[in-house]
Amino acid sequence: MSWQSYVDDHLMCDVDGVHLNAAAIIGLDGNVWAQNASFPKFTPQEIANIVRDFDEPGFLAPTGLFLGGAKYMVIQGEPGAVVRGKKGSGGITIKKTGQALIFGIYEEPMTPGQCNMVVEKMGDYLIDQGL
């Protein structure tokens, strides 16, 4: 299965009639493995800061999480495994695997819990596959 089909078929899937606004799988080195068309254009520094927050939980909390220039307030996550952010009526969930970051960006009516479920399920699967 191609990385793009993981994004298209599994991250952008329908969940109770709603779906993510944007999704991507990005290597820990910042290289895009796959993304949907609406995923924001990000800077290498934004990805480096996100990776650093997994290594140093709480690193992003004082400044916020930035992706594509958009600022998300960092909310509870799982240190070293999941970073979550909130912005207006939407937010972001990022799950770290051994080699990549799984991103899900949502807006209402999708709920934070639905976004978390989709992103974390994909991340757990990839971790189980050694990725």
Side-chain angles (χ1 to χ4, degrees):
M1 186 181 298
S2 76
W3 289 115
Q4 192 62 49
S5 64
Y6 280 105
V7 170
D8 297 341
D9 301 337
H10 299 287
L11 291 174
M12 296 301 294
C13 64
D14 185 275
V15 179
D16 300 326
V18 296
H19 57 84
L20 295 171
N21 286 43
I25 302 173
I26 298 174
L28 296 177
D29 59 3
N31 287 319
V32 175
W33 294 8
Q35 65 185 20
N36 76 319
S38 61
F39 195 78
K41 183 162 176 50
F42 58 86
T43 68
Q45 188 59 53
E46 289 172 335
I47 299 301
N49 288 342
I50 292 167
V51 170
R52 184 169 172 188
D53 192 78
F54 284 104
D55 296 334
E56 300 173 33
F59 171 74
L60 291 174
T63 59
L65 183 160
F66 286 85
L67 187 70
K71 181 179 181 178
Y72 296 84
M73 178 179 66
V74 178
I75 56 176
Q76 112 293 340
E78 296 167 32
V82 179
V83 173
R84 297 184 183 105
K86 184 85 172 122
K87 179 173 79 75
S89 62
I92 188 168
T93 301
I94 308 164
K95 171 80 174 181
K96 181 180 184 247
T97 72
Q99 299 177 27
L101 300 172
I102 315 301
F103 287 81
I105 300 173
Y106 70 94
E107 289 289 338
E108 288 182 346
M110 182 173 246
T111 66
Q114 289 169 320
C115 178
N116 295 343
M117 180 191 69
V118 169
V119 172
E120 293 175 38
K121 184 177 174 184
M122 171 61 67
D124 290 341
Y125 172 78
L126 293 177
I127 289 168
D128 289 346
Q129 300 303 306
L131 299 166

Coordinates of all heavy atoms in Angstrom, one line a residue, residues 8-84:
D8 N -5.2 9.0 2.2 CA -6.5 9.1 1.6 C -7.6 8.2 2.1 O -8.8 8.5 2.3 CB -6.4 8.8 0.1 CG -5.5 9.8 -0.6 OD1 -5.3 10.9 -0.1 OD2 -5.0 9.5 -1.7
D9 N -7.2 6.9 2.4 CA -8.2 5.9 2.8 C -8.4 5.8 4.3 O -9.4 5.3 4.7 CB -7.8 4.5 2.2 CG -7.7 4.5 0.7 OD1 -8.3 5.4 0.1 OD2 -7.0 3.7 0.2
H10 N -7.3 6.1 5.1 CA -7.4 5.8 6.5 C -7.5 7.1 7.3 O -8.2 7.1 8.4 CB -6.3 4.9 7.0 CG -6.3 3.6 6.3 ND1 -7.2 2.6 6.6 CD2 -5.5 3.1 5.3 CE1 -7.0 1.6 5.8 NE2 -6.0 1.8 5.0
L11 N -6.7 8.1 7.0 CA -6.8 9.4 7.8 C -7.9 10.3 7.3 O -8.6 10.9 8.2 CB -5.4 10.1 7.7 CG -4.2 9.5 8.3 CD1 -2.9 10.2 8.1 CD2 -4.5 9.4 9.9
M12 N -8.2 10.3 6.0 CA -9.3 11.2 5.5 C -10.6 10.4 5.5 O -11.5 10.8 4.8 CB -8.9 11.8 4.2 CG -7.7 12.7 4.2 SD -7.9 14.1 5.2 CE -9.2 15.0 4.4
C13 N -10.7 9.4 6.2 CA -11.9 8.5 6.2 C -13.1 9.2 6.9 O -12.9 10.2 7.6 CB -11.7 7.2 6.9 SG -11.3 7.3 8.6
D14 N -14.3 8.7 6.6 CA -15.5 9.2 7.2 C -15.7 8.6 8.6 O -15.5 7.4 8.7 CB -16.7 8.8 6.3 CG -18.0 9.4 6.7 OD1 -18.6 8.8 7.6 OD2 -18.4 10.5 6.2
V15 N -15.9 9.5 9.5 CA -16.2 9.1 10.9 C -17.5 9.7 11.4 O -17.6 10.9 11.6 CB -15.0 9.6 11.9 CG1 -15.3 9.1 13.3 CG2 -13.7 9.1 11.4
D16 N -18.5 8.9 11.4 CA -19.8 9.3 11.8 C -20.3 10.6 11.0 O -20.8 11.5 11.5 CB -19.9 9.7 13.3 CG -19.5 8.5 14.2 OD1 -19.9 7.4 13.8 OD2 -18.9 8.7 15.2
G17 N -20.0 10.5 9.7 CA -20.4 11.6 8.8 C -19.5 12.8 8.7 O -19.8 13.8 8.0
V18 N -18.4 12.8 9.4 CA -17.4 13.9 9.4 C -16.0 13.3 9.0 O -15.8 12.1 9.1 CB -17.4 14.7 10.7 CG1 -18.7 15.4 10.9 CG2 -17.0 13.8 11.9
H19 N -15.1 14.2 8.7 CA -13.8 13.7 8.4 C -12.8 14.9 8.7 O -13.2 16.1 8.8 CB -13.6 13.2 7.0 CG -14.0 14.2 5.9 ND1 -13.1 15.2 5.4 CD2 -15.1 14.4 5.2 CE1 -13.7 15.9 4.5 NE2 -15.0 15.4 4.4
L20 N -11.5 14.5 8.7 CA -10.5 15.5 8.9 C -10.4 16.6 7.8 O -10.8 16.3 6.7 CB -9.1 14.9 9.0 CG -8.8 13.9 10.2 CD1 -7.5 13.2 9.9 CD2 -8.8 14.7 11.5
N21 N -10.0 17.8 8.1 CA -9.8 18.8 7.1 C -8.5 18.6 6.3 O -8.4 18.9 5.1 CB -9.8 20.2 7.7 CG -11.2 20.6 8.1 OD1 -11.9 19.9 8.7 ND2 -11.5 21.9 7.8
A22 N -7.5 18.1 7.0 CA -6.2 17.9 6.4 C -5.5 16.8 7.2 O -5.7 16.6 8.4 CB -5.4 19.1 6.4
A23 N -4.6 16.1 6.5 CA -3.8 15.0 7.1 C -2.5 14.8 6.3 O -2.4 15.1 5.1 CB -4.6 13.7 7.1
A24 N -1.5 14.3 7.1 CA -0.2 14.0 6.4 C 0.5 13.0 7.3 O 0.3 12.8 8.4 CB 0.6 15.3 6.3
I25 N 1.5 12.3 6.6 CA 2.5 11.5 7.2 C 3.8 12.1 6.8 O 4.1 12.2 5.6 CB 2.4 10.0 6.8 CG1 1.0 9.5 7.1 CG2 3.5 9.2 7.5 CD1 0.8 8.1 6.5
I26 N 4.6 12.6 7.8 CA 5.8 13.3 7.6 C 6.9 12.6 8.4 O 6.8 12.4 9.6 CB 5.7 14.8 8.0 CG1 4.6 15.4 7.1 CG2 7.0 15.5 7.8 CD1 4.3 16.9 7.5
G27 N 8.0 12.3 7.7 CA 9.1 11.7 8.4 C 9.7 12.6 9.5 O 9.6 13.8 9.4
L28 N 10.3 12.0 10.5 CA 10.9 12.7 11.5 C 12.0 13.7 11.0 O 12.3 14.7 11.7 CB 11.5 11.8 12.6 CG 10.5 10.9 13.3 CD1 11.3 10.0 14.3 CD2 9.5 11.7 14.1
D29 N 12.5 13.5 9.8 CA 13.5 14.4 9.2 C 12.8 15.5 8.5 O 13.5 16.4 7.9 CB 14.4 13.6 8.2 CG 13.6 12.9 7.1 OD1 12.3 13.0 7.0 OD2 14.2 12.2 6.3
G30 N 11.5 15.6 8.5 CA 10.7 16.7 7.8 C 10.3 16.4 6.4 O 9.6 17.2 5.8
N31 N 10.7 15.2 5.8 CA 10.3 14.9 4.5 C 8.8 14.4 4.5 O 8.5 13.5 5.3 CB 11.2 13.8 3.9 CG 12.6 14.4 3.5 OD1 12.7 15.5 3.0 ND2 13.6 13.7 3.8
V32 N 8.0 14.9 3.5 CA 6.7 14.4 3.4 C 6.6 13.1 2.8 O 7.1 12.8 1.7 CB 5.8 15.4 2.6 CG1 4.4 14.9 2.3 CG2 5.8 16.8 3.2
W33 N 5.9 12.1 3.5 CA 5.7 10.8 2.9 C 4.4 10.8 2.1 O 4.3 10.2 1.0 CB 5.6 9.7 4.0 CG 6.9 9.5 4.7 CD1 8.1 10.2 4.7 CD2 7.1 8.5 5.7 NE1 9.0 9.7 5.5 CE2 8.5 8.6 6.2 CE3 6.4 7.4 6.2 CZ2 9.0 7.8 7.1 CZ3 6.9 6.6 7.1 CH2 8.2 6.8 7.6
A34 N 3.4 11.5 2.6 CA 2.1 11.7 1.9 C 1.3 12.7 2.6 O 1.5 12.9 3.8 CB 1.4 10.3 1.9
Q35 N 0.5 13.4 1.9 CA -0.4 14.4 2.5 C -1.6 14.6 1.5 O -1.5 14.3 0.3 CB 0.3 15.7 2.7 CG 0.8 16.4 1.4 CD 1.6 17.7 1.7 OE1 2.1 17.9 2.8 NE2 1.7 18.5 0.7
N36 N -2.7 15.2 2.1 CA -3.8 15.5 1.2 C -3.6 16.9 0.7 O -2.7 17.7 1.2 CB -5.2 15.3 1.9 CG -5.5 16.4 2.9 OD1 -4.6 16.9 3.6 ND2 -6.7 16.8 2.9
A37 N -4.4 17.3 -0.3 CA -4.2 18.6 -1.0 C -4.3 19.8 0.0 O -3.7 20.9 -0.3 CB -5.1 18.7 -2.1
S38 N -5.1 19.7 1.0 CA -5.4 20.9 1.9 C -4.4 21.0 3.1 O -4.5 21.9 3.9 CB -6.8 20.9 2.4 OG -7.1 19.7 3.1
F39 N -3.4 20.1 3.1 CA -2.5 20.1 4.3 C -1.6 21.4 4.1 O -1.1 21.7 3.0 CB -1.6 18.9 4.3 CG -0.8 18.8 5.6 CD1 -1.5 18.3 6.7 CD2 0.5 19.1 5.7 CE1 -0.8 18.2 7.9 CE2 1.2 19.0 6.9 CZ 0.5 18.5 8.0
P40 N -1.5 22.2 5.2 CA -0.8 23.5 5.1 C 0.7 23.3 4.7 O 1.4 22.4 5.1 CB -0.9 24.1 6.5 CG -1.2 22.9 7.4 CD -1.9 21.9 6.5
K41 N 1.2 24.3 4.0 CA 2.6 24.4 3.6 C 3.4 24.8 4.9 O 3.1 25.8 5.5 CB 2.9 25.4 2.5 CG 4.3 25.5 2.1 CD 4.4 26.1 0.7 CE 5.8 26.3 0.3 NZ 6.7 25.1 0.4
F42 N 4.3 24.0 5.4 CA 4.9 24.2 6.6 C 6.4 24.5 6.4 O 6.9 24.2 5.3 CB 4.8 23.0 7.5 CG 5.3 21.7 6.9 CD1 6.6 21.4 7.0 CD2 4.4 20.9 6.2 CE1 7.1 20.2 6.4 CE2 4.9 19.7 5.6 CZ 6.3 19.4 5.7
T43 N 7.1 25.0 7.5 CA 8.5 25.2 7.4 C 9.3 24.1 8.1 O 8.7 23.4 9.0 CB 8.9 26.5 8.1 OG1 8.7 26.4 9.5 CG2 8.1 27.7 7.5
P44 N 10.5 23.8 7.7 CA 11.3 22.8 8.3 C 11.4 23.1 9.9 O 11.4 22.2 10.7 CB 12.7 22.9 7.7 CG 12.4 23.5 6.3 CD 11.2 24.4 6.5
Q45 N 11.5 24.4 10.2 CA 11.6 24.7 11.6 C 10.4 24.3 12.4 O 10.4 23.9 13.6 CB 11.9 26.2 11.8 CG 12.2 26.6 13.2 CD 13.4 25.9 13.8 OE1 14.5 25.9 13.2 NE2 13.3 25.2 14.9
E46 N 9.2 24.5 11.8 CA 7.9 24.1 12.5 C 8.0 22.6 12.8 O 7.6 22.2 13.9 CB 6.7 24.4 11.6 CG 6.5 25.9 11.5 CD 5.4 26.3 10.5 OE1 5.1 25.5 9.6 OE2 4.7 27.3 10.7
I47 N 8.4 21.8 11.8 CA 8.5 20.3 12.1 C 9.6 20.0 13.1 O 9.3 19.2 14.0 CB 8.8 19.6 10.7 CG1 7.6 19.8 9.7 CG2 8.9 18.0 11.0 CD1 6.2 19.4 10.2
A48 N 10.7 20.7 13.0 CA 11.8 20.5 14.0 C 11.3 20.8 15.4 O 11.6 20.0 16.4 CB 13.0 21.3 13.6
N49 N 10.5 21.8 15.6 CA 10.0 22.2 16.9 C 9.0 21.1 17.4 O 9.0 20.8 18.6 CB 9.3 23.6 16.9 CG 10.3 24.7 16.7 OD1 11.5 24.5 17.0 ND2 9.9 25.9 16.3
I50 N 8.2 20.6 16.5 CA 7.2 19.6 16.9 C 8.0 18.3 17.3 O 7.7 17.7 18.4 CB 6.2 19.3 15.8 CG1 5.3 20.5 15.5 CG2 5.4 18.0 16.0 CD1 4.5 20.5 14.3
V51 N 9.0 17.9 16.6 CA 9.8 16.8 16.9 C 10.5 17.0 18.3 O 10.5 16.1 19.1 CB 10.8 16.4 15.8 CG1 11.8 15.4 16.3 CG2 10.1 15.9 14.6
R52 N 10.9 18.2 18.5 CA 11.6 18.5 19.8 C 10.6 18.4 20.9 O 11.0 17.9 22.0 CB 12.2 19.9 19.7 CG 12.9 20.3 21.0 CD 13.7 21.6 20.8 NE 14.3 22.0 22.1 CZ 14.9 23.1 22.3 NH1 15.0 24.0 21.3 NH2 15.4 23.4 23.5
D53 N 9.3 18.7 20.7 CA 8.4 18.6 21.8 C 8.2 17.1 22.2 O 7.9 16.9 23.4 CB 7.0 19.2 21.4 CG 6.1 19.4 22.6 OD1 6.3 20.3 23.4 OD2 5.2 18.5 22.8
F54 N 8.3 16.2 21.3 CA 8.2 14.8 21.6 C 9.4 14.4 22.5 O 9.3 13.6 23.4 CB 8.1 13.9 20.4 CG 6.7 14.0 19.7 CD1 6.5 14.7 18.6 CD2 5.7 13.3 20.3 CE1 5.2 14.7 18.0 CE2 4.4 13.3 19.8 CZ 4.2 14.1 18.6
D55 N 10.6 14.9 22.2 CA 11.8 14.6 22.9 C 11.9 15.4 24.3 O 12.4 14.9 25.2 CB 13.0 15.0 22.1 CG 13.2 14.1 20.9 OD1 12.6 13.0 20.8 OD2 13.8 14.6 19.9
E56 N 11.3 16.6 24.3 CA 11.3 17.4 25.5 C 9.8 17.9 25.7 O 9.5 19.0 25.4 CB 12.1 18.7 25.3 CG 13.6 18.4 25.0 CD 14.3 19.7 24.6 OE1 14.0 20.8 25.1 OE2 15.2 19.6 23.8
P57 N 9.0 17.0 26.3 CA 7.6 17.3 26.5 C 7.4 18.7 27.2 O 8.1 18.9 28.2 CB 7.0 16.2 27.3 CG 7.9 15.0 26.9 CD 9.3 15.6 26.7
G58 N 6.5 19.5 26.6 CA 6.3 20.8 27.2 C 7.0 21.9 26.5 O 6.8 23.1 26.7
F59 N 7.9 21.6 25.5 CA 8.7 22.6 24.8 C 7.8 23.6 24.1 O 8.1 24.8 24.1 CB 9.7 21.9 23.8 CG 10.4 22.8 22.9 CD1 11.4 23.6 23.3 CD2 10.0 22.9 21.5 CE1 12.1 24.5 22.4 CE2 10.6 23.8 20.7 CZ 11.7 24.5 21.1
L60 N 6.8 23.1 23.5 CA 5.9 24.0 22.7 C 4.9 24.8 23.5 O 4.3 25.8 23.1 CB 5.1 23.2 21.6 CG 5.9 22.6 20.5 CD1 5.1 21.7 19.6 CD2 6.6 23.7 19.7
A61 N 4.6 24.3 24.7 CA 3.5 24.9 25.6 C 3.7 26.4 25.7 O 2.7 27.1 25.5 CB 3.5 24.2 26.9
P62 N 4.8 27.0 26.0 CA 4.9 28.4 26.2 C 4.7 29.3 25.0 O 4.1 30.4 25.0 CB 6.4 28.7 26.7 CG 6.9 27.3 27.2 CD 6.1 26.3 26.3
T63 N 5.0 28.8 23.8 CA 4.9 29.5 22.6 C 3.8 29.1 21.7 O 3.4 29.9 20.8 CB 6.2 29.4 21.7 OG1 6.4 28.0 21.4 CG2 7.4 29.9 22.5
G64 N 3.3 27.9 21.9 CA 2.3 27.4 21.0 C 2.9 26.5 19.9 O 4.1 26.6 19.7
L65 N 2.1 25.7 19.3 CA 2.5 24.9 18.2 C 2.1 25.6 16.9 O 1.0 26.0 16.7 CB 1.7 23.6 18.3 CG 2.0 22.4 17.3 CD1 1.5 21.1 17.9 CD2 1.4 22.7 15.9
F66 N 3.1 25.7 16.0 CA 2.9 26.4 14.7 C 3.0 25.4 13.6 O 3.9 24.5 13.6 CB 3.9 27.5 14.5 CG 3.7 28.7 15.3 CD1 4.2 28.8 16.6 CD2 3.0 29.8 14.8 CE1 3.9 29.9 17.4 CE2 2.7 30.9 15.6 CZ 3.2 31.0 16.9
L67 N 2.1 25.5 12.7 CA 2.1 24.6 11.5 C 1.5 25.4 10.3 O 0.4 25.9 10.4 CB 1.3 23.3 11.6 CG 1.4 22.4 10.5 CD1 2.8 21.8 10.4 CD2 0.4 21.2 10.6
G68 N 2.3 25.7 9.3 CA 1.8 26.5 8.2 C 1.5 27.9 8.6 O 0.7 28.6 8.0
G69 N 2.2 28.4 9.6 CA 2.0 29.7 10.1 C 0.8 29.9 11.1 O 0.7 30.9 11.7
A70 N 0.0 28.8 11.2 CA -1.2 28.8 12.1 C -0.7 28.4 13.5 O 0.1 27.5 13.6 CB -2.2 27.9 11.6
K71 N -1.2 29.2 14.5 CA -0.8 28.9 15.9 C -1.9 28.1 16.6 O -3.0 28.5 16.6 CB -0.5 30.2 16.6 CG -0.1 30.0 18.1 CD 0.2 31.3 18.8 CE 0.6 31.1 20.2 NZ 0.9 32.3 20.9
Y72 N -1.5 27.0 17.2 CA -2.4 26.2 18.0 C -1.9 26.2 19.4 O -0.7 26.2 19.7 CB -2.3 24.7 17.5 CG -2.8 24.5 16.1 CD1 -2.0 24.6 15.0 CD2 -4.1 24.1 15.9 CE1 -2.4 24.4 13.8 CE2 -4.6 23.8 14.6 CZ -3.7 24.0 13.6 OH -4.2 23.8 12.3
M73 N -2.9 26.4 20.4 CA -2.6 26.3 21.8 C -2.4 24.8 22.1 O -3.3 24.0 21.8 CB -3.7 26.9 22.6 CG -3.5 26.8 24.1 SD -4.9 27.6 25.0 CE -6.2 26.4 24.6
V74 N -1.3 24.5 22.7 CA -1.0 23.1 23.1 C -1.9 22.7 24.3 O -1.9 23.4 25.3 CB 0.5 22.9 23.4 CG1 0.8 21.5 23.8 CG2 1.4 23.3 22.2
I75 N -2.6 21.6 24.1 CA -3.4 21.1 25.2 C -2.9 19.7 25.6 O -2.0 19.2 25.0 CB -4.9 21.1 24.8 CG1 -5.1 20.3 23.5 CG2 -5.5 22.5 24.6 CD1 -6.6 20.1 23.0
Q76 N -3.6 19.1 26.5 CA -3.1 17.8 27.0 C -2.8 16.8 25.9 O -3.5 16.7 25.0 CB -4.1 17.3 28.1 CG -4.8 16.0 27.8 CD -5.9 16.1 26.6 OE1 -6.3 17.2 26.3 NE2 -6.2 15.0 26.0
G77 N -1.7 16.1 26.1 CA -1.4 15.0 25.1 C -0.8 13.9 25.9 O -1.1 13.7 27.1
E78 N 0.0 13.1 25.3 CA 0.7 12.0 25.9 C 2.2 12.2 25.7 O 2.6 12.1 24.6 CB 0.2 10.7 25.3 CG -1.2 10.4 25.6 CD -1.7 9.2 24.7 OE1 -0.9 8.3 24.4 OE2 -2.9 9.2 24.3
P79 N 2.9 12.7 26.8 CA 4.3 13.0 26.6 C 5.1 12.0 25.8 O 5.1 10.8 26.2 CB 4.8 13.2 28.0 CG 3.6 13.6 28.8 CD 2.4 12.8 28.1
G80 N 5.8 12.4 24.8 CA 6.6 11.6 24.0 C 5.9 10.8 22.9 O 6.5 10.1 22.1
A81 N 4.5 10.8 22.9 CA 3.7 10.0 22.0 C 2.7 10.8 21.2 O 2.6 10.6 20.0 CB 3.0 8.9 22.8
V82 N 2.0 11.7 21.8 CA 0.9 12.5 21.1 C 1.0 13.9 21.6 O 1.1 14.2 22.8 CB -0.5 11.9 21.5 CG1 -1.6 12.7 20.8 CG2 -0.6 10.5 21.1
V83 N 0.9 14.9 20.6 CA 0.8 16.3 20.9 C -0.6 16.7 20.3 O -0.9 16.3 19.2 CB 1.9 17.1 20.2 CG1 1.7 18.6 20.3 CG2 3.3 16.7 20.8
R84 N -1.3 17.5 21.1 CA -2.6 18.0 20.6 C -2.6 19.5 20.8 O -2.1 20.1 21.7 CB -3.7 17.4 21.5 CG -3.8 15.9 21.4 CD -5.0 15.3 22.2 NE -5.0 13.9 22.1 CZ -4.7 13.1 23.1 NH1 -4.3 13.6 24.3 NH2 -4.7 11.8 23.0

